[in-house]
C-alpha cells in the first residue's frame, strides 16, 4: 500500500468531500473549511480545513462564532499533517480543549484476515432493533468505563435512517454482551470506517476485538470496499498493526464549548 497515496485519497474522499452522517445533518463549505452541522445529539464540527498562516486565525474565529450562535459544542478534528503546522497551538489559543490523540490506521481489505475466530461460547449477532442497541450501549459503557451521552440516540437514528450504511454487531456470551462495534460505509469512496470495538473487562485478550475487525472486513469486502480506516487508541493500535493496518497520521479532536 502506497501510504502517501492512500492518505491523499482519505483526505479528499472522506474529509474534503465529507457527506452528512445522519438525517437532519448537513455538510457546509465555508471557504477553506468543511464542517458538519446537526442537532444536539449529532456530531458537530470541522472535518477538513486547508488553511494558511495568514488566514488561519480568522477562519478559526469564524467557526467559533458560527457554532456559538447555534449554541452548539463542536469539535475541530485535526490531523498531524494539517496546515498550518501550528494549527493545534492556534486552536488552543482560541479556547479549544485538546482530547487524547489517536492513530489514523488504514489497511487494504485484501491484505486483512476476514475469517473471525471467536473464543468458545461467544457468538456474533447483528444489531437490527432497539433491544440490540441497548445491549450495545451496555457493552460500550462497560468497556470504556464511562457513560456516553447521545450514543443511544445516535445508534437508534442509524437503525431508523442509515441501516444500509451503518452496520452494528455484538459479541455475546450467553445473554451477556461482551463487546460491540460498528462500521460506517461511505458509498463511492472505497473507504469504510470501524468504530467502537470495545471489549468488557474479563473478556479482553481472547481475540474478540480481532474477530470483530475480521467480521467487518469481510462485510466491507463483500460490498466492494477497498480500505478500512480506524481512529485507534494506544490499546487497539498494536492489535491493528499486527493485523496489517498502517499508521498514516495522528488525529486529535479539539473541542470548543460555548
Amino acid at each position: 500500500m502506497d501510504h502517501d497515496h492512500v492518505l491523499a485519497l482519505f483526505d479528499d474522499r472522506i474529509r474534503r468531500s465529507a457527506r452528512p452522517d445522519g438525517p437532519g445533518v448537513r455538510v457546509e463549505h465555508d471557504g477553506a473549511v468543511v464542517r458538519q452541522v446537526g442537532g444536539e445529539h449529532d456530531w458537530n464540527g470541522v472535518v477538513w480545513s486547508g488553511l494558511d498562516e495568514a488566514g488561519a486565525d480568522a477562519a478559526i474565529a469564524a467557526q467559533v462564532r458560527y457554532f456559538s450562535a447555534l449554541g452548539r459544542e463542536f469539535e475541530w478534528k485535526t490531523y498531524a499533517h494539517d496546515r498550518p503546522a501550528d494549527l493545534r497551538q492556534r486552536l488552543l489559543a482560541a479556547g479549544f480543549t485538546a482530547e487524547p490523540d489517536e492513530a489514523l490506521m488504514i489497511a487494504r481489505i485484501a491484505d486483512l484476515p476476514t475469517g473471525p475466530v471467536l473464543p468458545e461460547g461467544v457468538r456474533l449477532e447483528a444489531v437490527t432493533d432497539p433491544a440490540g442497541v441497548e445491549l450495545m450501549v451496555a457493552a460500550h459503557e462497560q468497556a470504556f468505563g464511562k457513560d456516553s451521552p447521545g450514543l443511544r440516540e445516535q445508534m437508534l437514528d442509524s437503525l431508523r435512517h442509515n441501516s444500509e450504511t451503518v452496520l452494528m454487531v455484538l459479541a455475546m456470551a450467553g445473554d451477556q454482551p461482551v463487546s460491540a462495534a460498528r462500521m460506517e460505509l461511505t458509498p463511492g469512496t472505497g473507504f469504510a470506517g470501524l468504530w467502537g470495538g470495545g471489549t468488557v473487562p474479563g473478556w479482553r485478550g481472547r481475540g474478540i476485538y480481532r474477530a470483530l475487525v475480521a467480521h467487518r472486513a469481510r462485510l466491507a469486502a463483500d460490498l466492494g470496499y477497498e480500505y478500512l480506516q480506524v481512529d485507534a487508541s494506544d490499546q487497539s493500535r498494536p492489535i491493528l498493526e499486527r493485523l496489517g493496518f498502517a499508521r498514516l497520521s495522528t488525529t486529535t479532536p479539539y473541542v470548543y464549548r460555548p
Side-chain angles (χ1 to χ4, degrees):
M1 187 174 73
D2 183 329
H3 292 187
D4 291 340
H5 173 68
V6 173
L7 183 59
L9 287 179
F10 176 79
D11 280 343
D12 181 56
R13 297 178 182 178
I14 300 300
R15 302 181 64 205
R16 191 169 186 170
S17 302
R19 305 174 189 185
D21 65 6
V25 175
R26 63 188 183 274
V27 170
E28 300 176 342
H29 293 247
D30 181 19
V33 170
V34 178
R35 65 192 178 211
Q36 176 170 292
V37 186
E40 181 182 355
H41 296 295
D42 297 312
W43 185 88
N44 287 267
V46 173
V47 294
W48 178 86
S49 64
L51 306 177
D52 57 25
E53 292 184 1
D57 289 338
I60 291 168
Q63 301 313 307
V64 169
R65 288 194 302 271
Y66 179 85
F67 283 103
S68 294
L70 296 175
R72 293 280 184 270
E73 174 182 309
F74 76 103
E75 175 184 314
W76 195 303
K77 189 168 176 60
T78 71
Y79 290 77
H81 58 284
D82 286 348
R83 295 292 179 266
D86 62 350
L87 176 60
R88 296 183 178 198
Q89 288 77 16
R90 292 172 186 260
L91 291 169
L92 292 173
F96 288 75
T97 301
E99 297 198 341
D101 292 343
E102 293 180 311
L104 172 64
M105 311 288 291
I106 297 180
R108 282 201 325 146
I109 295 171
D111 298 333
L112 297 175
T114 55
V117 179
L118 290 159
E120 185 176 356
V122 176
R123 67 189 186 280
L124 299 183
E125 292 185 359
V127 174
T128 58
D129 57 27
V133 167
E134 292 302 321
L135 292 172
M136 282 198 75
V137 171
H140 188 277
E141 291 182 348
Q142 290 181 62
F144 295 100
K146 61 181 181 180
D147 294 337
S148 300
L151 179 63
R152 177 181 288 101
E153 190 59 35
Q154 178 187 350
M155 291 191 292
L156 289 171
D157 274 346
S158 295
L159 278 183
R160 289 190 289 260
H161 304 289
N162 300 319
S163 60
E164 294 184 357
T165 56
V166 180
L167 308 180
M168 298 179 283
V169 61
L170 280 164
M172 300 289 296
D175 61 356
Q176 297 298 312
V178 297
S179 192
R182 67 189 189 276
M183 178 167 63
E184 298 181 4
L185 307 171
T186 309
T189 67
F191 285 89
L194 304 187
W195 302 93
T199 301
V200 305
W203 285 91
R204 295 171 183 163
R206 306 191 195 187
I208 297 174
Y209 181 88
R210 293 192 299 274
L212 286 170
V213 172
H215 172 73
R216 289 174 289 172
R218 183 176 64 192
L219 293 177
D222 290 345
L223 293 168
Y225 284 80
E226 186 174 1
Y227 300 104
L228 288 183
Q229 169 261 324
V230 187
D231 291 349
S233 66
D234 289 342
Q235 184 176 9
S236 57
R237 179 179 53 79
I239 303 172
L240 292 166
E241 287 176 335
R242 289 194 292 270
L243 289 174
F245 284 77
R247 180 174 186 162
L248 300 192
S249 190
T250 299
T251 180
T252 308
Y254 285 78
V255 176
Y256 189 91
R257 297 177 174 89

